[in-house]
Amino acid sequence: MDEDSKPMPQTRATHFINGAWTPTGGPTFPVTNPFNDDIVAHVAAGGRAEAEAAVAAAAAAFPAWAAMPPGERQRLFLKAADITERRLEEIVPIMAAEGGASRVFAAFQIRLSAAMLRQAASWGYLPYGDMLRSDVPGRVATVERKPLGVVAGFTPWNGAFYLAWRTFLLPMAFGNTTVIKPSELAPMSAGLIHAEILEEAGFPAGSFNVVAHAPGAAQTVAEVFFEHKAVRCINFTGSDRTARILGERAGRSLKRMVMELGGFNPMIVLDDADIDDVVNATTFGAFLHQGQVCMNTRKVYIDRKVHDRFVDQLADKVRKLKTGDPRDPGVIIGPLITDAAVAQTAERVQDAVARGATLVTGGKAQGRVFEPTILTHVPADAICTTGCDETFGPVLVIEAFDEVEQAFAAAQDTPYGLCAAIMTRDHARGLNMARQFDTGIVHINAPTMASEAALPVGGVKHSGWGRSGHYAVEDFTELRLTTLSSKPGQYPF
Ligand code: ADP
């Protein structure tokens, strides 16, 4: 049997509701491989009925899950972490087939997910309140963090496996139950594999639920979440375009929203930086998952004194990145997710070149595999350099600067505020600049993409609201004030 005809390791391709896989035989939709259009799986196509059943199950499971002692929850999370790692070799090919993820990117996400599950295992023991001082004699006041109830999560297709874990475990670690609506482009990597793992780990029925849906049905499922009174929070990871639609809808139902959205992430390289390190950091930061991650570096601002050497070295390294079928473990650049993504990336490169930019390397696609592309001398009005809209593909813009203050001001001139990076050997200068960035994250001497399980990820401005890591306690709990007065009160009338 040759490599191509080996059966794909399968995951269950139907909804997981109230502790059970729903029977197959209902409507399905095909999920296709973006590299070769093969059908990866026929996945159950849910709608209003499945979403309602899932929310009802999560609501029923909430009181017991919220009351579960932290040590019991901890054991479940640790077990899920072990299962996730054990299944690495089965999950990597699913992520390649559904989402075009290279082995490097898939394995990175799986290991990061296991680490995050282990972090989350301890969050049940975090202090969950404060004693406050009262001006009223004889009164004691406490505030206590309480879980919200049911949290409905929307997961994306890009960093699907890791981002879906985040969508399940942040709310669940703080005592909420969940209903997840995975992206229709990669439903297995974005939720169904997780349901298998949580089921095997022994999480109670109803504490997590997954409803898959066909393209075009996202709104039908979402509407149930917005309408249902048991759903107290919408936890969304995706584009700011969709976030605007959901945010407006959430306003009508007055539901809390947590959002992790896009970025237009700059890297500023000062003249004293270690250029070999900058080349490695930029290659990883700009081209991991062929530029389809919210944290990818979109633009490098570099001191003119080191610009030419950097561009030459970077282009040399980037030209050697292997492109093609992500099932080949040596491939770094796999396919973009859709024809529309390829068309948009191509249009933006052509737009820049037509306005006078220099195409250093790349610029063409073979099928949906777009070459890693470097542009310099890009005029300020080219779409890919304005910072107003992410180009979700392997396109990096490099701009030389003479005055770092101007570069800093330009790097901030974007509606997004997710990540930034500064490369310098002068740590004090780097820290000083970092503190002035209006972003959720700044790395000094690391790429914009430098995730760790214990560190909070999240943005400001159009990059979203909310943080991962244990800071998510702010997003997925609410404070309840309790006072106790031990003396009769004094009242004005
Ligand atoms: P991406 O560009 O990363 O695919 P999207 O914002 O399109 O991001 O998708 C993220 C999630 O939002 C997916 O689960 C998708 O199904 C869902 N989604 C997209 N459009 C809508 C919509 N109009 N209503 C509800 N959910 C949506």
Side-chain angles (χ1 to χ4, degrees), residues 425-449:
R425 285 189 171 97
D426 183 340
H427 297 178
R429 197 174 168 209
L431 270 174
N432 195 29
M433 186 181 284
R435 291 206 173 105
Q436 296 172 57
F437 253 113
D438 199 8
T439 53
I441 302 164
V442 189
H443 296 294
I444 304 167
N445 295 328
T448 55
M449 177 117 52

Side-chain angles (χ1 to χ4, degrees), residues 53-70:
V55 173
F62 172 64
W65 177 251
M68 185 184 274

Side-chain angles (χ1 to χ4, degrees), residues 47-63:
R48 176 164 270 278
E50 289 78 10
E52 281 172 352
V55 173
F62 172 64

Side-chain angles (χ1 to χ4, degrees), residues 153-159 163 181-185 190 213-223 226 236-243 245-246 261 292 337 390 392:
F154 293 60
T155 64
W157 54 267
N158 61 339
L163 294 171
K181 186 211 83 49
S183 166
E184 58 276 40
L185 295 174
H213 66 84
Q219 235 160 334
T220 308
V221 173
E223 196 49 34
F226 285 113
F236 174 78
T237 306
S239 62
D240 52 311
R241 176 182 36 80
T242 305
I245 299 170
L246 300 186
L261 312 177
Q292 298 174 114
I337 190 74
E390 290 176 286
F392 228 50

